[in-house]
Amino acid sequence: MAGARGCEGRAGPGCAGGAVPPGAGRRPRMAAAASPSRELTQNPLQKTWEPYDNGLPAGHSAQRGVCMTNCPTLIVMVGLPARGKTYISKKLTRYLNWIGVPTKEFNVGQYRRDLVKKYKSFEFFLPDNEEGLKIRKQCALAALNDVRQYLSEENGHVAVFDATNTTRERRETIYKFGEENGYKTFFVESVCVDPEVIAANIVQVKLGSPDYVDCSNDEATEDFMKRIECYKNSYETLDETLDKDLSYIKIMDVGRSYLVNRVMDHIQSRIVYYLMNIHVTPRSIYLCRHGESELNLKGRIGGDPGLSVRGKEFAKSLAQFINEQNIKDLKVWTSQMKRTIQTAEALGVPYEQWKVLNEIDAGVCEEMTYEEIQENYPLEFALRDQDKYRYRYPKGESYEDLVQRLEPVIMELERQENVLVICHQAVMRCLLAYFLDKPAEQLPYLKCPLHTVLKLTPVAYGCKVESIFLNVEAVNTHRDKPENVDISRPPEEALVTVPAHQ
Amino acid sequence: MPMELTQSRIQKIWLPNDNRPALPRRSCGPQLANSPTVIVMVGLPARGKTYISKKLTRYLNWIGVPTKVFNVGEYRREAVKHYSSYDFFRPDNEEAMKVRRQCALAALRDVKQYLTEEAGQIAVFDATNTTRERRGMILNFAKENGFKEVKLSSPDYRDCNSTDAMEDFMKRINCYQASYQPLDPDDYDRELSLIKVIDVGRRFLVNRVQDHIQSRIVYYLMNIHVQPRTIYLCRHGESEFNLKGKIGGDSGLSNRGKKFALALNKFVEEQNLKDLKVWTSQLKRTIQTAEALQLPYEQWKALNEIDAGVCEEMTYEEIRDQHPEEFVLRDQDKYYYRYPSGESYQDLVQRLEPVIMELERQENVLVICHQAVMRCLLAYFLDKSADEMPYLKCPLHTVLKLTPVAYGCRVESISLNIEAVNTHRERPEVSAALPQPFPGVPFLSPMVTRQCRCPGWAWGDYCTVRCLEVPLELHRGSCSAKMWPIKGFPRENDSCMCLLPSVLAQMKVHPGIGLSWALTFAFAIICLPKEGMDYWMEKVASPKCPSWLAEPKLSGSSNISILCVFPGMPTAPRGYQSAVL
C-alpha cells in the first residue's frame, strides 16, 4: 500500500500525514504563515479550522516550505542474506503506512529477478563473477532511481531500500545519493550469528522464493548457504568509530540487543521505538467485537449499552472457545465500554481495560439510527459516504483519528504474545487493517461481523487470518458504501445499504 | 453470572458487582510493568546520572507510574556529616568503604520498602555502581525480592573540560575510574537488561528490553536532549464562551481575545527566537490566536481542551443545577474525575503524552492551548502531583516561559496586559489546609502575573525559592511535615545563595564550561551539607567565575544549606514556594 494515506500530497492542506509529530489523535496539521486578513472556515469533512483569504483557502502555496522541514527519509537495510532484512522492511513499511506516513519498500532482489529471469545458482553472487556484479549494480541503480522518483515526485515520505548493502563503499554511494537529493538516510542493520535462527529463516522465507521453484529443499538450502558465504568476506558491519556520523540502528540476534546511533528526527525515533518492540516469537492474536448489544438490536450506533440476550450467549461461547484453544498466557483486553467488559467478564480470566479501545466517537450522532442521521444530518451522512476514512463526526472522531488513538495498542500488541482483544466494529477494522496491510480506502469497509473471532497468526512476511463464527445469531451491523454519495441524493438512496434492524 | 456491572462514579469505569478487588485500577492502557522494577544507574560521577534519574522519575510519575529516586549520595551525607575531601572516595580508604557500603544497603532497604509496602512501581537507584561486585549485590537483592532490574549507564561526556575549580571533584572521579567496570553487554553482562547512554544521547546500546516500561524508558531517553531552549505555554485569547462563563465548546475569540492575539504576536517578535515552532489545538480559538502570529503553525488534535462530555458548553452554575452529583464528585477528586461521556485529567495526561515526547525532542516551541491542557503540560515540567495539577493557575492572556535549568525548569510568567475574565475555579474549602512551609514568611497568593523583571530584580520583587537541602527523612518517604525547617528566611539575602536568572542561563551555555559543568555544579550544590559546602565554596568558587555565586554565609541552622531563588513564578512547583524578597 504505497498510497498516500492521510496526505493529499506534501504541498496540500492535508499534509498532516507526513510531518508527523506524533501520536494518539495527535497528528498535527500544518498551516501557513498568516496574512492578517484571514478568516477561519471549518472544513466540512474533517471538521478542521482552515484559514481563508478572500474566500479562498489560504496556505496552499506557503505550506510546502513548512512540510519540507521534515525531509524524506531513506531507510537502508544492511546485513547478510537470511538475517530478516525483508521481514523488517515489510513490517516497517506496513506500520508507517498505517500511521499515515506514505512509505514504500524497494527490494533489490526483486529487481534482479525481474532482470535475470532464471536464477541458476549461488555462483551469480560470487565476488569475482563480473557479469553478476554488473547486473547487481545495475539493479541497485534502477532501484535507487525508483526511490528518487517515489520520494521526489510521488510524494512518498519514506523509502525502504532492501538489499544487503554489506560494504562500506556501497553504503557510502547510497548515503551520497541521499545527500544529493535532500533525503535523510537511516541505516538498519540486522546482525545474527545464531545458526538456528538463520536456518529457520531460510526455511520460512527463502525456500519459497521464486529463485528456488525448481529444486529440492536441501538443494536450495545448500545453495543459499553458499550465497551467504559470497558476502561474508566483504562484509563490513556498521562500526562505532568508522560510522559514528551515520544515523543507524543495529539489531543484534533478533532483538537481544540494539545499538542506536545519532537518531536525527521524529520519524527515526519512531522507527527505533517500533523496531525495539517487535519480536518473532510465534503467537496468535484474537480479535473480536463485544457480544450483540441492546443498541445493535435497534440499529443504533455508539452509546454505552449492555449486552442483549444473544450477546450474553456469545460471551459464554467465547469462554468455551478460548478454553478449547488452550492458549498459553493469554492476555485479554477490552475497551472501557460496558458491552466489551460484560463480554470479558464471562471468560473468568483477568483482563485489562483500555480507554483507547473505545468505539469511534460519533459525536452528535451517538445513539442514533442511520435513518435518524439521514433525517437530521443528511449532509453529514453524504460526506461520510464520500470519504469515510477522513470524515469526522461533528464533535466526534474520524477513522483517521482512531488510527492515531490506536497506535499505542498496536505497539503493545507487537510486544505481547497471545492476546484476545474484545473491541468494537470501527476499532477492529483499524486493527485488522494494520495486520492485513489494507489501505485507507478499504479500511472503513472491512467486514467485522458480530459473534465472530478473527485469529491472526504471523507467517513469513504477513499474517494468516482465520475467521471463526461462534454460532450465535446476531444482527448485521455492516453498512456498505452506497452507489450514490452525492449530497443531493434522495434519502432512499442514502439508506439503501443500511442493514435490517428492529 | 457476574455480568452485572456497576459504573464507578468518579472514573466512570464499569466494574463487576461482586466486589472482586483485583480489577485494574489504571483507566488507560495496560499494566506498564508486571513486577516492580529497579532502575540502577551506572557511571562515574558527574555523568548526569542524577539528571537522568530525576528527569525519568518526573516523566514516569507524570504518566502515572509511581516512581521514586534513591540517591545513595544523600544517605552518605547523612551518615558522614563532615565531608573533608576526595580522600573519602579513594578505594583504599577502608573506613570510608565500609560507610559507603552501609549507605548503599540502607538505600536498598528503603527501595524494598517502597516497592513492596508503599505501592511503588519503579525505584531509581542513583549511585555510581561502577563495580561488578556492587552491581551483583544489587542484582541479588532484586532477585530475592522479585523485582525486575534494568541498568542504566549514563552519558560519558567526551569533551568534559576540567577546570581548576573542578579539581577536587575530578580527583574524586579518578578514585572511581581505577575500579570502573563499564557494563559489557557483549560478554559479561549479556543476560542483563541494560541501557547504555553514550555521549549525551548520541548513541544508545540497549540490551534485553523486558517489558513495556523498559521500552518506554528507552524511547523517552532517546527523545530528550540538553540543548538550551525555551518552551512557551499560553492559552488561546479570551473566547466568547469564556465571557459567558461556559466551559468547552468551539467558540471564537472575544474582542479582548483578538487583542491578546496581536499582543502575543508582538511578544513573540520581541523574544526574537530562532526557529520557533507554534503548535495549536484543532479548536477555533487557538487557531484564531495563532493566525495573528506571522508564523507557520501546526494543529494537534491531542491539544484539544478536556472533553466535558454532557457538560460541554454549560456554565458551572448550570452544571451544579443540572448535574449536582457530578459537580460534587468532580470537587472530590478532580484529577480522576471523568465527565459523563467525557474525559478526566488522567485521560488528558495519556492523550498528551505524545505531545510531551515531541516537546522533549524540539527546541523552541510556543504551545497555544487550553486551561486543562496547559495544567497537564505545566505539571510535567514542574513536577506537580496529580493532586495539585487540576488547580494550577493558568490565567488567560499570560504566557509562561519555561527554561530547563539543572534538574528542573525555571518559569517566568508574563502577563501581556490585556484584561480577561478569570476562569480559574479554586479548590473547594473541604480539603485540609496544607501545612505552611515557611512559618512567618509573607506568603504570596500565586495570582502573581506581573511581568517578570530579569535580570537583576530587587527587594520587594516576587520570587520563588527552593531549598536545595532537605532533611533526609523526606527521602525516606515518611516525613513531609518537617519538610521546611527554615528559620528567618528570606529576610537576609546573604544567608542564602541566589542564583540569578542570568547566572542560571549562563550555566547552560558558558563557553568552555559546557553542560557537564553545569550539571556538576548543580549536583554539588544540591548535595553538599553546610560544612562540605563551605569547603566546596572555598575550592570551587574560584576567581575565574566569581559572578556565579553570591558569598554564602550560611545561617546557623544545620538543616539548611542553600536556597535557590527564582524570579516571579505564579505557580510554584513542588518543593518551591512563592515569597517576597
Side-chain angles (χ1 to χ4, degrees), chain A residues 28-29 256 258 260 336 412, chain B residues 27 204 206 208 212 299:
Chain A
R29 298 174 48 85
R256 178 185 63 83
Y258 304 85
V260 182
Q336 289 195 354
E412 192 57 23
Chain B
S27 83
F204 291 87
V206 182
R208 293 204 184 271
H212 179 94
Q299 298 180 11

Side-chain angles (χ1 to χ4, degrees), chain A residues 335-355:
Chain A
S335 72
Q336 289 195 354
M337 295 185 135
K338 192 174 181 182
R339 52 197 187 274
T340 62
I341 298 167
Q342 273 188 317
T343 311
E345 274 294 318
L347 304 180
V349 297
Y351 58 91
E352 288 174 16
Q353 299 181 9
W354 291 62
K355 185 170 197 271

